[in-house]
Amino acid sequence: MEFEGLKPIEQLNVLIIDDNLLVHDLLKRALYDLEIRNIKCAENAYYGLRLCAETQFDVVICAFNVKSDKDGFHILEEMKFKGYVSKSTILIFLSSETDETLVNSIAELQPDDFWVKPLNTGQVIKRLAYAVEVKRRLFNVFECIDNKDFGKAIYYIERHILNPELKKYHPQLLRIKGECLLSLMEYQDAENYYRDLLKNGKNSWMYLGFVNALLKQNKIEEIEQLLKSLTTKVETRFATYDLLAQYYVENQDFVEAYETIKKAAALAPRNIARNKKVWDLARLNHDQREQYKATVNMAKFAKKSIHDSPELLLNVVRSGIDLALSVDASETFELLNKVDKYIAELEAEYDDIGHFKEQLIVVRARVLTAREEKAKAEAER
């Protein structure tokens, strides 16, 4: 297979998504200094996604806090889902916020860089030039990963590591090689690989890769102390909880899985798949309060994303009614009022709500029954 590689820098297609026009101007000036001229700008997600449908972009620079519609997490999530971006695309995230939950959410999307606002033109030029050079020099590796040919990616990585000209890219290459071994499910090889790396380095990704390899082999006893240490550090605790939750699920320890996945979800709340795991495990553990909280989080964080659906709000309504029937009278009153608001939101925000007519009749009847308005409930049915 022949790899075309990244285009010359002056031919790169760049997309900027940010609702601040001053950011557009600053970034365009920096890009012009790098001789990049093919630049498109969008002030919102809708226009940015429309541009992606028309043009294949080599570089996407996206703000996290796009306030007008979707946030940056949902924008890039949708771009990945629709195939607009890949490992061969240079992805840059912008944000003025650096709180832990946001950084964890961004890290899950694996951008090439994360720039904190306010931006500095000199730093933008320097860091973008470096990101472009990394992608250009290691393009065949990223292309293989896009094609899920992890064995060939390792072959290219090992060749690149022997090349003294690529020495400054060794950290990226070493990290990608470990990820490829895990993707190939070569867990013993991955364990040995990370053990060797940890003799000379103490990077967070090395510890996390090592933990992942051992958990996949059910060697949790060997790393109990390490796990305790990693869950106390900001840079590793989210990923560690996530790996542990998956381990417990695979070993059908649903109590431990439940307690652990709640911690992971709290540290990276925007991931809908993880919130669904919380919901599923809450049901398995008969925790109605957490079922309700999980459905609320799913509906909240799915807003304006590819996951948005009337079904998510219906789940909130159903779980809210279930919880209302199991608590004391004062809380029941409060919960049912919230349920009424969710039903009103459901009817107001979704054009296809007619498809859920029967479900709405049922939940309205259940609300009336919970309020002990039996006659009205019968009439609703």
Side-chain angles (χ1 to χ4, degrees), residues 60 105 116 118 123 134 155-156 209 240 247 287 292 340 359 366:
V60 174
S105 294
V116 178
Q123 283 297 310
V134 169
Y155 166 76
Y156 283 117
T240 305
Y247 166 79
D287 187 339
Y292 174 64
D340 286 337
Q359 291 96 318
R366 290 191 65 204

Side-chain angles (χ1 to χ4, degrees), residues 56-275:
Q56 184 68 48
F57 289 100
D58 308 291
V59 182
V60 174
I61 304 173
C62 181
F64 186 88
N65 46 334
V66 181
K67 297 181 178 66
S68 54
D69 45 9
K70 303 174 191 286
D71 67 21
F73 179 87
H74 288 142
I75 297 169
L76 287 188
E77 188 182 39
E78 187 166 344
M79 285 182 177
K80 287 194 170 195
F81 177 78
K82 292 181 175 177
Y84 296 153
V85 299
S86 65
K87 290 295 285 186
S88 305
T89 312
I90 298 165
L91 291 179
I92 310 292
F93 241 130
L94 312 176
S95 180
S96 55
E97 304 169 42
T98 56
D99 70 85
E100 185 180 355
T101 60
L102 183 145
V103 171
N104 288 335
S105 294
I106 290 173
E108 285 200 89
L109 294 174
Q110 297 183 313
D112 293 281
D113 207 350
F114 175 36
W115 299 345
V116 178
K117 297 179 181 179
L119 301 175
N120 173 283
T121 304
Q123 283 297 310
V124 167
I125 292 170
K126 181 180 177 181
R127 290 174 71 164
L128 182 60
Y130 180 75
V132 169
E133 188 62 17
V134 169
K135 200 68 72 170
R136 184 184 310 288
R137 299 299 295 269
L138 311 183
F139 194 83
N140 51 10
V141 173
F142 295 116
E143 190 88 322
C144 285
I145 293 170
D146 279 338
N147 295 325
K148 300 192 184 304
D149 193 344
F150 303 110
K152 183 169 277 192
I154 290 173
Y155 166 76
Y156 283 117
I157 288 167
E158 290 175 346
R159 284 181 58 185
H160 289 328
I161 286 173
L162 295 173
N163 184 349
E165 293 181 9
L166 300 180
K167 187 173 181 180
K168 67 178 178 178
Y169 307 121
H170 282 191
Q172 290 102 319
L173 289 165
L174 293 173
R175 183 171 184 169
I176 296 168
K177 181 178 177 179
E179 291 169 353
C180 287
L181 287 169
L182 291 168
S183 295
L184 289 167
M185 295 186 285
E186 300 286 354
Y187 300 127
Q188 183 61 63
D189 288 347
E191 176 189 340
N192 296 337
Y193 177 72
Y194 285 113
R195 278 190 193 278
D196 286 342
L197 288 179
L198 287 166
K199 291 175 184 175
N200 301 306
K202 303 296 178 186
N203 291 321
S204 296
W205 62 264
M206 295 178 186
Y207 284 113
L208 291 169
F210 180 63
V211 162
N212 195 356
L214 268 73
L215 289 176
K216 290 297 184 183
Q217 298 174 83
N218 289 316
K219 296 180 178 179
I220 191 169
E221 296 82 5
E222 296 181 33
I223 50 172
E224 284 181 349
Q225 287 303 120
L226 177 58
L227 290 169
K228 287 179 183 177
S229 172
L230 294 177
T231 54
T232 64
K233 297 175 181 176
V234 171
E235 65 272 21
T236 53
R237 60 183 171 187
F238 157 65
T240 305
Y241 283 134
D242 209 38
L243 291 172
L244 274 171
Q246 186 59 36
Y247 166 79
Y248 290 130
V249 167
E250 289 171 359
N251 286 274
Q252 299 189 343
D253 185 345
F254 299 123
V255 174
E256 285 294 336
Y258 178 45
E259 293 306 315
T260 310
I261 196 71
K262 282 191 290 183
K263 294 172 183 175
L267 291 168
R270 290 169 179 82
N271 187 297
I272 302 304
R274 186 175 297 107
N275 280 309

